[in-house]
Amino acid sequence: MGTTIWTIVIVLISGMADAQYHGKLIDAFQNRPTQHQVSGTVYAVDNKRIRIVDFNYDGQGPDAFFYVGNSNTGDTPRDRGDRGTLTPDEKGSTNILGRYSGATITLTLPGSATVQNIKWLSVWCRAFAANFGHIIIPTNTVSPAPKVIGQFSELAHAVSSGDVTFLDSKTIKIENLKYDGAGPDAFFLVGTGDPSGSGTKVPDENGSLNKLNGYTGQTITIRLPGELTVLDIEWLSMWCIGARQNFGDVRWTLANVQGAVPPYIPAAPTVPAPTPAPNKNCESLHDKLQVSWNLENNTHISIELFGRLSVLGDGEYMAFGLSGKNDSLSMTNADVTVAYVKNGMPKADDYFLSQYAQCNQGIGVCPDVKSNRTGGESNTVISGETTNLISRVKYIRPLNTSEQADIAIPANQEVLIVWGIGPLNPDGLAAKHTIRATTNKWINFGRTAVNNCGAISTGPPEVIVPWNVDYITGENNTTFTAQIGQAGGKQGYSAITGRASWGIAWYINQRLIPEIYVIRGETYTFIVEGGDDPSNNAEYHPFYITDDPIGGYIQYNATQKQAVKVYAGLDQNGNLVNDSVGRFCEWQLKDLSAASTEAATFDEFFGRLQLKCKNGTAGKLTWTPDIDTPNTVYYQCYTHRYLGWKIHVLNNYSEIPMPTTAAAGTSVSATQVVPCLIIALATLFTV
């Protein structure tokens, strides 16, 4: 008969990992000039993880993140950091970095980035393209990996094995282990020197320190106890203490494992996610969103929202409220609460949706306190938290506030509700939803308690891979056409820029927010078709060029306006020039289903669009960058934020970091410049 091979791989709970071994040493931030007190020593844990030991950063940068890059030239990410890859922090979040003091953290590289194919790690401030500190990863760095160190010697009681592998500095896998089980008190022992009974006992694959039973070809995993690591020992033996006999062993040297095997990093403790109380009314609105409620004395209602977050983390909201129409689903004129947890603090902001547009001067998707309708904040937050990427926010509000911006909630009849999930802008305002109600949902808030909710699924955050960035050069054609178009779902504007999107963005020469390359001293013309009717907020997008990465100049107060510079589109008093306004042309979806925004490439997505223009003439804005124009400026919308992207201003076209044969208006894949593997919805800076 053949031998049956069993496989048992079990993770055991033991003491803390060795405090001194962190993997393969790469570099230290303090070996180069740094800002904001950045320091720390960087190690490779394996090919996908980097560990920073004794990491310090004062947290005062306005827009700092971890970035990695793969440029093969130079020894600094300066001038390239804004095209590197944003890397989530140790919590998997892409929020702006806070303060660190002597921390030991582990970063997981995003997408296809590995220790072997990146060249640097930086604490990078996107708002000011500033390198606060970086390390260089040497060429041909070999990352730690599981290491086979041999097989058990066959000395007694039919002991033998297949490969013995160090999975990490504390975890040992033994394949095809055999032992007849006849020894009176055999144990796994480890130690230094030659095998002996003075070694340290190691629990078996079940975490037990009882004597070993027989093995008939199983593959088992054991973990060293306490702070012991494979760097502290030189052998593993199946040792019979009573007989003082070595049944079989495997040996190694420190030189074979130092920096070659991954360090042991304990898994984070599992914390139960919040769930609705079983005795309350609860309705599942989506597999990522639930609402629970309770009437309070027929004058108030307490509402509790449970939402499954995506990669956004703190940057995502849950919205719930009453439809803007009594008989059909309508976001326009809806009264909703936008709930979220920010920096550990639950929020529940009262909104009125006067128009399907970004909030601008009290019109659009606005909090009641900013709306042009009379009303104020009607919600009072009770509690909330985020655990395992599930946010919970509980708030209370009157059933009838008698405010113009609020809709009364009846206590004894069905009402049509609306809901959504989406990103928050840096200023804390709701951006366009990523998921929303698409069918009628009626709720009687006064019904007898019925819980129709199950558990919200948990798991790792979604990894979003953006479409390739398009690049346009004015070398052969100095005229660009600027029109409005769809933002491209989760792989488009938001993923490319790292900013929340309202669902529309600038299209330049029929490309979604391309990066434009121009040179100083040459005049360029922008044919503007962003809308010319200021009474229609949703279709009025004057075009201008500025050093402000956010846009929406009209929304700024006097102090904020003084903090930015405008290079084209406005006069010296900050008023629009006629050339920045033109008829409204929009690249619209032919099919309005949610699936129509899901596409592997922008070209595939663009094939689903059609251009629709209103009557009128286009604006014709000219601009000549000069010696005082910064290296990077932005084309933006005067009335709304987060519609535009970058213009790179050079001294000559030979400086363009892209194939020199690219024609004007030709799109060039981002991978030809530098990979952009994952960008999560984060912010440049808060105004």
Side-chain angles (χ1 to χ4, degrees), residues 439-670:
T439 59
N440 289 349
K441 175 76 172 179
W442 300 83
I443 290 180
N444 184 343
F445 290 102
R447 76 186 188 189
T448 302
V450 178
N451 188 339
N452 291 323
C453 297
I456 297 179
S457 61
T458 59
E462 179 184 12
V463 175
I464 299 174
V465 180
W467 291 328
N468 288 339
V469 180
D470 283 321
Y471 296 86
I472 292 178
T473 169
E475 184 171 9
N476 298 320
N477 188 345
T478 57
T479 299
F480 306 100
T481 299
Q483 299 164 326
I484 296 298
Q486 299 297 302
K490 61 187 177 183
Q491 292 177 275
Y493 179 94
S494 295
I496 293 169
T497 66
R499 304 171 181 172
S501 162
W502 182 248
I504 57 174
W506 281 115
Y507 276 50
I508 307 296
N509 291 5
Q510 302 183 13
R511 310 306 292 177
L512 171 64
I513 56 161
E515 296 190 20
I516 303 173
Y517 285 87
V518 299
I519 61 172
R520 295 177 174 88
E522 188 158 5
T523 298
Y524 300 90
T525 300
F526 290 85
I527 306 301
V528 180
E529 296 179 324
D532 54 9
D533 181 5
S535 67
N536 187 347
N537 179 53
E539 296 182 356
Y540 184 57
H541 310 287
F543 183 94
Y544 74 112
I545 297 172
T546 174
D547 64 355
D548 174 21
I550 294 177
Y553 185 85
I554 196 175
Q555 299 188 37
Y556 289 164
N557 59 35
T559 301
Q560 292 169 331
K561 288 177 178 178
Q562 290 178 357
V564 300
K565 291 184 178 180
V566 176
Y567 298 93
L570 306 183
D571 62 22
Q572 293 181 346
N573 297 319
N575 299 315
L576 285 171
V577 297
N578 292 334
D579 293 339
S580 64
V581 176
R583 67 172 184 167
F584 183 68
C585 289
E586 181 179 18
W587 289 96
Q588 299 178 353
L589 285 166
K590 301 173 186 176
D591 175 8
L592 297 181
S593 67
S596 64
T597 64
E598 302 297 324
T601 65
F602 170 72
D603 287 333
E604 178 185 339
F605 173 73
F606 188 71
R608 301 170 185 170
L609 303 181
Q610 58 186 347
L611 182 64
K612 290 190 175 182
C613 294
K614 293 195 171 182
N615 294 332
T617 58
K620 191 175 181 180
L621 181 67
T622 58
W623 171 54
T624 306
D626 57 26
I627 192 172
D628 295 323
T629 308
N631 292 338
T632 302
V633 293
Y634 300 84
Y635 54 93
Q636 298 288 13
C637 169
Y638 176 74
T639 52
H640 302 93
R641 298 176 178 179
Y642 312 110
L643 265 66
W645 199 219
K646 298 177 182 178
I647 301 176
H648 300 281
V649 182
L650 312 173
N651 291 319
N652 58 75
Y653 286 116
S654 63
E655 299 175 12
I656 298 177
M658 57 192 292
T660 56
T661 56
T666 299
S667 66
V668 179
S669 167

Side-chain angles (χ1 to χ4, degrees), residues 9 145-147 165-173 221 261-263:
V9 181
K147 184 177 180 63
T165 304
F166 293 161
L167 300 181
D168 57 46
S169 61
K170 291 181 66 65
T171 310
I172 304 172
K173 182 173 74 171
T221 300
V261 299

Side-chain angles (χ1 to χ4, degrees), residues 230-247:
V230 297
L231 286 80
D232 304 316
I233 53 181
E234 297 173 318
W235 52 263
L236 165 66
S237 168
M238 188 180 290
W239 184 273
C240 183
I241 294 178
R244 298 182 181 179
Q245 185 177 5
N246 181 9
F247 291 171

